[in-house]
Amino acid sequence: MSIMEYNGSAVVAMSGKNCVGISSDRRFGVQAQTLSTDSQKIFQMNDKILIGLTGLNTDVLSFSDQLRMRTKMYKLQHDRDISPQAFGKLVSTLLYERRFGPYFVEPVVAGLTNENQPFLTGTDLIGAPVFTDDFVVAGTATEQLFGTCESLYKPEMEPEELFEVMSQCLLSAVDRDCVTGWGGTIHIITPDKTISRTLRGRMD
Amino acid sequence: FFLLNINCFTGMMMAAHAPGAASASGKFTSVVENPKEARFSPYVSNGGTVVGVAGQDYCVLASDTRLSLGFSILSRDCPRVTKLTSKCCIATAGMQADTLALHKMLQYRLKMYKHQNGKEMSTDAIAQMLSITLYNKRFFPYYTFNIVGGIDPNGEGAVYSYDAIGTMEKMKYTATGSGAPLIEPFLDSQVGYKNQLIKPDRERTKDEAVELVKDTFATAGERDIYTGDAVDIMVMTADGLSVEKFPLKQD
């Protein structure tokens, strides 16, 4: 039994044409027991940045609160919103500060830069980042998500198509992992607005 | 004299610590007190991914050809699929030694059947025989993850999937081996049309199925280190069997 598999979660973020999407499952459980089917794993930091957190649920809540506090402090001190790149670095730094007693989370950051370009990054539990231009996956269903995303992804998708592709990727992958699922939440960030939807999937 | 002194000192220190370590916390166990024998393991994983897709009147069975051991590649062109009859093939991932032994055993049984009964074994009979052969070694299993694919006596495509001790299930599509977690959800979506409200109105043709299988291996080859080099694709129909080789990335 691994700490990262105690609660079970799945998050995937994908880039599109001047838009970026991030989606997660909705299950909250303790090993085999499901406790709720509407848990939030994606947190909004500002208009253009969303972060999805997988791993131990208690640390997901604690770490997202930390990030919310730091993002608000940044806004007060710099009189502007934090950029996605700087936010990614912030996540990395905060995690490495706990190098020998880490937060058991694996975050995925999805943001839109000032030039309306998608920005994706993911880190491991001690902050080692990976920057990709296609998609980032995290959680207990990473192998399944890698398979679906690698086959179904194509570059420069419009928001509607990105929504369809991400939904298929997430739902098909979590259906093959017993500690994830019970529906999905998906957010697409575009230059004008953020579209949020709930996905209906297998409820088991 | 100085060094001797140090040695004596440290010797005394260690003698004082050893019983302490065992009794005080019990957390730090000494190998001297609890010796562990390095056991010989009869099993090893040689990697590989195998995929089977069954259609209305065809069956596609494919496997990659990379043979690995740990982080090394032993061969880039090692076949994992064996033709059993003109209408049935078996493909196996897992340990290559057990794969070869198992395939040889099945070919022997098929040959005996053909001589004794004057006809080839049907796909469903082969599937059942494999299940029994695997369970016969329930307490020292073949380290093999098999897929049997073929045309059943009604002319329809059939794919059977197994675990190492012979649990058998007839399916429309399946994947096994190191790349299976990457491929199965994709097949659920594109062959099973799960999570799709609007399903296509016609069945996939044989050539479309082969293209899909090539896509699955390209995907697995990207993200799984044990899958790559090339893919052997066997396509079975009522008329016979055709073989195709599809190259993959060699990294």
Side-chain angles (χ1 to χ4, degrees):
Chain A
M1 199 274 296
S2 157
I3 300 172
M4 300 300 280
E5 284 150 30
Y6 187 69
N7 292 129
S9 48
V11 165
V12 55
M14 210 179 264
S15 71
K17 185 162 185 193
N18 298 331
C19 63
V20 69
I22 183 165
S23 74
S24 75
D25 71 321
R26 283 162 69 87
R27 179 183 179 271
F28 166 57
V30 168
Q31 293 185 302
Q33 172 75 56
T34 301
L35 292 171
S36 102
T37 58
D38 57 1
S39 85
Q40 186 193 9
K41 290 157 204 190
I42 298 176
F43 302 91
Q44 180 165 42
M45 295 291 121
N46 63 36
D47 285 339
K48 293 283 189 299
I49 303 175
L50 289 169
I51 181 166
L53 293 160
T54 65
L56 196 64
N57 192 262
T58 175
D59 283 351
V60 163
L61 298 171
S62 302
F63 191 63
S64 65
D65 273 351
Q66 279 268 315
L67 284 172
R68 208 163 63 104
M69 186 265 280
R70 294 297 294 259
T71 314
K72 283 175 188 282
M73 284 302 286
Y74 186 100
K75 176 105 196 242
L76 288 170
Q77 287 169 348
H78 294 77
D79 199 24
R80 64 174 174 85
D81 281 337
I82 185 171
S83 69
Q85 294 90 329
F87 181 74
K89 191 78 189 183
L90 175 66
V91 168
S92 217
T93 308
L94 281 178
L95 288 170
Y96 198 80
E97 272 173 11
R98 292 271 168 267
R99 170 64 176 83
F100 298 108
Y103 285 109
F104 294 109
V105 297
E106 283 183 345
V108 171
V109 176
L112 218 56
T113 64
N114 285 332
E115 292 81 42
N116 291 330
Q117 289 306 304
F119 176 81
L120 294 172
T121 182
T123 81
D124 67 1
L125 76 174
I126 46 173
V130 67
F131 303 100
T132 61
D133 48 13
D134 43 17
F135 51 85
V136 182
V137 303
T140 50
T142 42
E143 287 189 295
Q144 290 85 340
L145 282 164
F146 270 129
T148 51
C149 291
E150 192 71 53
S151 353
L152 295 175
Y153 174 80
K154 47 187 203 286
E156 303 287 302
M157 285 184 280
E158 296 291 331
E160 295 78 26
E161 200 188 352
L162 181 66
F163 169 78
E164 290 298 326
V165 167
M166 282 190 77
S167 309
Q168 279 302 303
C169 286
L170 183 78
L171 291 175
S172 303
V174 301
D175 284 350
R176 283 281 178 178
D177 176 18
C178 36
V179 290
T180 58
W182 284 92
T185 307
I186 180 165
H187 306 276
I188 311 274
I189 313 173
T190 59
D192 335 302
K193 56 187 189 306
T194 303
I195 312 159
S196 300
R197 292 211 187 98
T198 308
L199 300 173
R200 211 181 65 215
R202 282 183 70 104
M203 299 307 217
D204 62 357
Chain B
F1 168 78
F2 187 60
L3 282 166
L4 222 68
N5 231 4
I6 295 287
N7 276 342
C8 293
F9 185 66
T10 45
M12 269 163 50
M13 288 283 285
M14 279 166 50
H17 269 177
S23 58
S25 59
K27 262 193 290 183
F28 303 102
T29 54
S30 134
V31 180
V32 173
E33 289 171 58
N34 304 307
K36 262 194 295 206
E37 211 178 295
R39 291 213 35 104
F40 165 71
S41 169
Y43 295 118
V44 90
S45 173
N46 292 123
T49 305
V50 171
V51 171
V53 175
Q56 188 71 349
D57 56 355
Y58 61 85
C59 179
V60 180
L61 191 55
S63 84
D64 75 323
T65 59
R66 171 175 288 179
L67 193 73
S68 346
L69 187 63
F71 288 125
S72 305
I73 296 179
L74 299 176
S75 167
R76 293 197 191 273
D77 186 16
C78 172
R80 288 195 169 86
V81 195
T82 307
K83 176 186 153 182
L84 296 174
T85 69
S86 56
K87 292 201 174 113
C88 181
C89 295
I90 178 174
T92 310
M95 189 167 111
Q96 190 65 4
D98 279 352
T99 300
L100 292 171
L102 180 67
H103 288 196
K104 210 171 215 178
M105 157 77 79
L106 290 174
Q107 282 175 317
Y108 153 74
R109 295 285 299 272
L110 256 60
K111 199 175 252 186
M112 290 300 290
Y113 183 95
K114 189 163 176 196
H115 285 309
Q116 287 170 349
N117 297 282
K119 60 170 178 162
E120 287 198 319
M121 237 172 140
S122 63
T123 302
D124 50 344
I126 294 173
Q128 180 68 7
M129 182 175 76
L130 175 61
S131 175
I132 295 185
T133 305
L134 291 170
Y135 198 81
N136 279 342
K137 275 174 67 67
R138 168 68 175 82
F139 300 109
F140 182 17
Y142 288 108
Y143 185 0
T144 55
F145 300 100
N146 298 282
I147 300 181
V148 165
I151 307 294
D152 69 10
N154 302 326
E156 291 171 6
V159 151
Y160 296 86
S161 133
Y162 299 79
D163 69 357
I165 50 170
T167 309
M168 174 178 97
E169 191 181 343
K170 185 173 178 187
M171 306 168 104
K172 285 257 166 260
Y173 57 86
T174 190
T176 189
S178 59
L182 285 91
I183 295 176
E184 280 204 310
F186 174 66
L187 292 179
D188 279 340
S189 168
Q190 301 299 306
V191 182
Y193 306 117
K194 310 266 167 84
N195 297 121
Q196 274 185 3
L197 289 173
I198 306 165
K199 303 183 206 302
D201 44 6
R202 66 162 181 84
E203 250 246 2
R204 202 173 249 111
T205 67
K206 184 180 66 156
D207 297 321
E208 284 167 354
V210 170
E211 286 307 302
L212 183 91
V213 165
K214 286 179 184 172
D215 280 342
T216 63
F217 275 96
T219 299
E222 288 286 323
R223 297 283 177 172
D224 175 30
I225 58 175
Y226 298 113
T227 304
D229 294 327
V231 187
D232 277 336
I233 307 176
M234 319 284 256
V235 185
M236 289 150 279
T237 55
D239 305 322
L241 181 108
S242 74
V243 185
E244 189 184 335
K245 211 168 182 81
F246 172 62
L248 288 178
K249 280 164 79 165
Q250 297 197 317
D251 67 352

